[in-house]
Amino acid sequence: MYFLNKKMLTYIVFLGLMVILIGNSTIVAESKPDIVKMVGLLQEDKDLDLDIGDWSVLTREINKEITTKQEFESEVTALKRKYPQFQWHRKDDASGWKAEALTYNVDSGLTESIKIMTTEEKFDKVTYVIYEVKGKKWKKANNAFFTATFQNRVNDLFIGTPSIFSCIKGSINDNMDSVLNSKTEDLLDMFQAREIESVHETNFTSISAHSTLFKQPLTKEKLNLQFGLRTEGLGDRTNFVVGTPIITFEY
């Protein structure tokens, strides 16, 4: 089931790929990570009967210091020593080299992954480092993870200040009229955001906006927040997705 219509979905996927794989925007470290801000705001709204479902924080950087296979191998070896709890896999082909690591914590429910990929672009070797954390439900302990462990991981894995993409899925127990017609403005107010562009149809609404709460502008219009609402009909639970600076989930 598509959350947004095909036009908006194509725009978001294209924009997301451009930023995640090619772009090189940076952020300033904040005392409270974006994902923690977003969850806090959503949970503070007592008027919403809201459930937070899948969520993800993806961190990405282009590493310009890894350009040879020897440098790639050295970096992977160092990370294997540093993160022995991760399960590591290699996949090399004609297009480049790739190492991927995965770990799942049963107690916390968190899945962490590390990816290092070196490919050839315009006759030069380019290395991407990606670190992702995701979960099925939000737990209070996640706040401590993101203010401590997550920051340590970022300091270990990245040379500079990486781009960070935070995204949350969930549902609201409310009917179509009250959510899609009035809650859009509520969400803009909640995130202290100004609408830049939107798509409105009978059973869904999607918004791209600029929020003063987040520091990663994506376009010249300073887009740094996207959210969408969709319902199957009057009285049904309404699905939502919110992301900064963009929505990164596939749906």
Side-chain angles (χ1 to χ4, degrees):
M1 179 181 67
Y2 288 95
F3 191 85
L4 305 180
N5 67 2
K6 185 179 291 184
K7 180 179 178 182
M8 192 63 180
L9 177 59
T10 301
Y11 167 77
I12 290 173
V13 170
F14 172 76
L15 195 57
L17 288 173
M18 289 291 289
V19 174
I20 294 173
L21 296 180
I22 299 176
N24 196 35
S25 62
T26 60
I27 62 165
V28 176
E30 295 288 333
S31 57
K32 184 181 291 188
D34 289 345
I35 188 73
V36 176
K37 291 181 187 177
M38 293 164 65
V39 170
L41 289 169
L42 290 168
Q43 292 181 335
E44 283 173 8
D45 192 329
K46 303 304 182 182
D47 295 330
L48 290 178
D49 180 8
L50 180 148
D51 292 320
I52 292 176
D54 294 353
W55 57 266
S56 169
V57 178
L58 186 149
T59 311
R60 182 216 36 94
E61 181 183 60
I62 296 177
N63 186 319
K64 296 182 180 180
E65 295 185 1
I66 301 174
T67 58
T68 68
K69 190 165 187 178
Q70 182 178 359
E71 291 168 342
F72 181 88
E73 298 284 1
S74 177
E75 179 67 13
V76 171
T77 299
L79 289 175
K80 283 182 177 180
R81 287 197 298 263
K82 188 171 291 185
Y83 299 109
Q85 72 274 32
F86 283 69
Q87 297 296 314
W88 288 85
H89 303 279
R90 284 291 301 271
K91 185 178 180 181
D92 298 347
D93 54 36
S95 64
W97 322 302
K98 179 179 179 181
E100 183 173 356
L102 190 70
T103 187
Y104 173 71
N105 188 305
V106 177
D107 295 329
S108 67
L110 299 181
T111 298
E112 297 177 77
S113 64
I114 301 169
K115 295 179 183 178
I116 305 176
M117 302 173 289
T118 299
T119 61
E120 189 168 308
E121 296 182 5
K122 296 181 180 179
F123 308 106
D124 290 324
K125 293 292 185 182
V126 178
T127 298
Y128 299 97
V129 180
I130 299 172
Y131 168 58
E132 184 177 20
V133 186
K134 57 186 178 181
K136 294 292 185 182
K137 294 288 184 180
W138 187 264
K139 299 180 179 180
K140 289 183 178 179
N142 293 347
N143 293 351
F145 174 89
F146 277 100
T147 55
T149 303
F150 176 81
Q151 298 296 344
N152 292 334
R153 298 269 204 266
V154 169
N155 291 337
D156 286 341
L157 292 167
F158 302 102
I159 297 172
T161 306
S163 299
I164 300 179
F165 303 83
S166 304
C167 199
I168 299 171
K169 279 184 179 181
S171 60
I172 302 170
N173 188 19
D174 209 336
N175 62 51
M176 179 175 61
D177 291 337
S178 68
V179 172
L180 299 188
N181 294 339
S182 68
K183 292 302 182 183
T184 296
E185 289 300 323
D186 291 342
L187 288 171
L188 285 170
D189 290 342
M190 176 190 298
F191 289 107
Q192 300 177 29
R194 170 182 56 84
E195 180 181 323
I196 295 175
E197 59 185 23
S198 61
V199 175
H200 299 277
E201 292 191 2
T202 302
N203 64 344
F204 81 88
T205 294
S206 62
I207 303 290
S208 296
H210 169 71
S211 169
T212 58
L213 298 177
F214 309 116
K215 305 298 183 183
Q216 284 190 99
L218 187 64
T219 66
K220 64 181 181 180
E221 292 85 7
K222 297 185 178 180
L223 186 157
N224 65 359
L225 177 73
Q226 289 183 328
F227 67 83
L229 300 165
R230 181 182 180 88
T231 187
E232 289 303 303
L234 191 65
D236 288 342
R237 292 184 69 84
T238 297
N239 297 317
F240 73 86
V241 59
V242 57
T244 180
I246 58 172
I247 294 169
T248 55
F249 279 135
E250 294 181 3
Y251 41 81

